[in-house]
Amino acid sequence: MERTVPAGLWGIGLAAILVAGGVLTVLGWDTGSDPSGRLLAAAILLACFCGLLGQQGSSRVSDDVGPILLLGGLGLGGVLGMEPFNRIFVIGLLAYTGFFLARHMAASLQKSLALVHVSLALMLAVLAIFMEEGRGVVGVLFLVLTFLPLVPFHLPFLGILRSSRESLGSVWLVVWLAAGLSQLQDLEAMLILHVEWKGVLPVLALVSSLYASLKAMGHRLPREGLAYATITFLALLWGLSGEFSHIAEWGLPFGMAVALLMSALLCAYAFLHERYGAHPLNTLQGLGAGLPRFRGIFTFLISLIMLLPVLPVVAAFKNIPPDAPEAHFLFPVWLLLFTVWLSVSWVFTTMLHQTAFGKPRSDVPHRDLSVYELWTLLLLMVTASMCGMMA
């Protein structure tokens, strides 16, 4: 596949993201947000930057510059803006999601349900602007479940990843999860006020992780498999939030580590898509022998992802006071941990074998990762590792 270089649009996109990051840095992040908002904003800027950096020379970069910049702007406004302005940006993100799904998602029952879900979330987000703080608990919870999805609230998230190219999907994923992670403090306050919900969350998370992990094992296209794998990881956040307090302290870096590593994996498959076109995983075997850089970085990336189920447990225990009565696990929580660990180990080990290893192939041309592509993956992986250590 011959590659063209739309250098003008590519350079404009990168320059816009660098200018936005520079302005925020010069202002000292004086935006009225808490430190968690600054972390989420940095992750969004990095995802947008890497989403364009890795496409240097791509034949499709001209289609992605506008959506990436728009997503970056909406995401930054949602995590940095003060109320009620941040909610206005969340409304804008939901409105753009509805437009994107209506335009790009294939007609199906899932598309109809996803659009109904987004419409309901949009109405609840509008109503939240006019309601007093502490009111509308169900609406806030629905919005958090939309952006940090459990089954069956996952259809908008699944739809945007299924309908996006991998490079654009990598930005969508980070912005979408960042919008949910920015509301973790609201979720923690709701859990304190409604203690009876705490026992239900591990059970709901267990059901969601079982369904999502089975769907992830069954999919052969990377985008859908990674969407379900992300939902499986998020089940840990929801399940442990019912047992451990201070979810905003350990949940945010864990969620960002998940988002950035999944984003890096989508970028890796975007690089393969650029070279070989869209293929199911079982037709990509044996590429590692001809792409040694790709095989090395992909192996390290999968290794980091398989460590993710350990992070929330360690972080949650670390943030528990020694005399806290909540330092115990119910059976659903232990079962949830085992389910997530076993399923992601199976999914990503299989993905590694099917993509980077196997019998060497001579029937396809080999062109290893460029410097831009290599730095894209390294930046995402290093930042995700730092988030994991912060948890």
Side-chain angles (χ1 to χ4, degrees), residues 249-266:
E249 295 181 14
W250 60 266
L252 190 143
F254 168 69
M256 273 294 92
V258 171
L260 291 172
L261 288 178
M262 295 296 108
S263 177
L265 205 51
L266 281 170

Side-chain angles (χ1 to χ4, degrees), residues 179-300:
L181 293 169
S182 66
Q183 303 177 64
L184 281 183
Q185 290 180 338
D186 295 335
L187 176 62
E188 185 172 357
M190 286 188 295
L191 291 175
I192 292 174
L193 292 174
H194 301 271
V195 181
E196 66 274 10
W197 292 3
K198 288 190 174 183
V200 178
L201 283 176
V203 178
L204 293 177
L206 175 60
V207 174
S208 177
S209 66
L210 283 170
Y211 177 85
S213 60
L214 290 174
K215 294 290 285 187
M217 292 177 190
H219 277 287
R220 291 291 177 262
L221 292 177
R223 283 173 297 181
E224 296 183 8
L226 291 178
Y228 279 112
T230 304
I231 296 168
T232 304
F233 279 122
L234 293 176
L236 273 183
L237 190 152
W238 282 98
L240 291 181
S241 67
E243 287 296 303
F244 297 123
S245 61
H246 308 293
I247 182 177
E249 295 181 14
W250 60 266
L252 190 143
F254 168 69
M256 273 294 92
V258 171
L260 291 172
L261 288 178
M262 295 296 108
S263 177
L265 205 51
L266 281 170
C267 285
Y269 279 110
F271 303 152
L272 292 183
H273 191 172
E274 180 66 26
R275 288 160 171 78
Y276 306 111
H279 287 281
L281 292 174
N282 56 4
T283 65
L284 296 175
Q285 295 186 25
L287 295 178
L291 283 70
R293 280 185 185 176
F294 176 83
R295 180 166 63 181
I297 202 79
F298 193 81
T299 302
F300 188 45

Side-chain angles (χ1 to χ4, degrees), residues 94 97-98 101 109-125 139 141-158 176:
L94 288 169
T97 300
L101 292 176
L109 177 61
Q110 285 191 346
K111 177 180 179 177
S112 301
L113 293 175
L115 289 174
V116 170
H117 184 130
V118 172
S119 300
L120 181 57
L122 188 59
M123 288 188 292
L124 291 172
L141 181 61
F142 186 82
L143 287 175
V144 179
L145 280 167
T146 298
F147 289 111
L148 299 175
L150 290 178
V151 176
F153 304 96
H154 66 296
L155 292 181
F157 176 70
L158 177 64
W176 193 260

